[in-house]
Amino acid sequence: MPRINGNEIRPGNVLEHNGGLWAAVKVDHVKPGKGGAFAQVEMKNLRNGSKLNERFRSADKVERVRLEQKDQQFLYENDGMLVFMDMETYDQYEIPADILGERRPFLQDGMMVVVEYYEEEALNATVPQKVKCRIVETEPVVKGQTAANSFKPAILDNGVKVMVPPFVGQDEDIIVNTESMEYSERA
């Protein structure tokens, strides 16, 4: 694995530190008036989700880890495990359902997901940025009401609550941005 200097750490880098795998979430480069410059790095453990703030001087060496990204198709869920199929080898993999976090409800049958692996261990999974969902419950459409900054609550077919414009009605399909968990457009 490549070793990098402490001042080369960037947000999104995955580092091996204190025996664990950490993702750099936030990096601040500090140049105090007295003493040498350092990078103040906020890191998140990829295995258990704990957070850590650490200082790295430019002379400090850290191991940078490259995760292998694989496109995999979601097949089904079995006892809290999600079953995915690798599209190149057609091998099936079981991954814990909590790896998706709050984006788990947006996972649909046959959906292509990017799974990041470190050696044989799945550390992260990403659903597509935009997902089509159906509104199962919302207030009725009011004629003449403008869309200017007035949103109403809606419940989607996967149980997630989002705010939608007033012109969107029940049983309509919409596109939801899975990163911001917000209404994007009509489908």
Side-chain angles (χ1 to χ4, degrees), residues 1 3 14-23 43-48 50 52 54 56 61-63 65 118-119 121 123:
M1 285 182 280
R3 292 179 68 81
V14 178
L15 310 171
E16 189 171 339
H17 181 66
N18 291 346
L21 288 176
W22 301 83
M43 300 185 295
K44 181 180 178 198
N45 190 307
L46 293 175
R47 290 190 174 112
N48 62 21
S50 63
L52 174 71
E54 196 75 49
F56 293 100
K61 297 279 190 190
V62 289
E63 296 278 341
V65 178
Y118 174 66
E119 294 169 356
E121 180 184 7
L123 293 175

Side-chain angles (χ1 to χ4, degrees), residues 138-142 150-154 162-170:
T138 188
E139 298 166 10
V141 176
V142 178
S150 60
F151 279 70
K152 61 183 181 181
V162 295
M163 299 299 283
V164 297
F167 58 80
V168 177
Q170 192 166 317

Side-chain angles (χ1 to χ4, degrees), residues 66-117:
R66 295 215 186 269
L67 299 180
E68 182 182 0
Q69 294 186 335
K70 293 183 180 179
D71 289 332
Q72 297 187 335
Q73 184 178 25
F74 173 64
L75 299 177
Y76 59 92
E77 184 171 0
N78 183 20
D79 292 332
M81 300 296 279
L82 304 176
V83 179
F84 290 94
M85 180 174 62
D86 189 307
M87 296 310 291
E88 292 174 14
T89 63
Y90 299 108
D91 291 337
Q92 292 186 10
Y93 299 96
E94 283 193 351
I95 298 171
D98 59 356
I99 199 168
L100 286 170
E102 61 186 18
R103 283 150 189 71
R104 166 66 186 97
F106 292 104
L107 188 63
Q108 300 167 354
D109 288 344
M111 181 178 278
M112 294 301 294
V113 174
V114 177
V115 182
E116 293 181 322
Y117 286 92

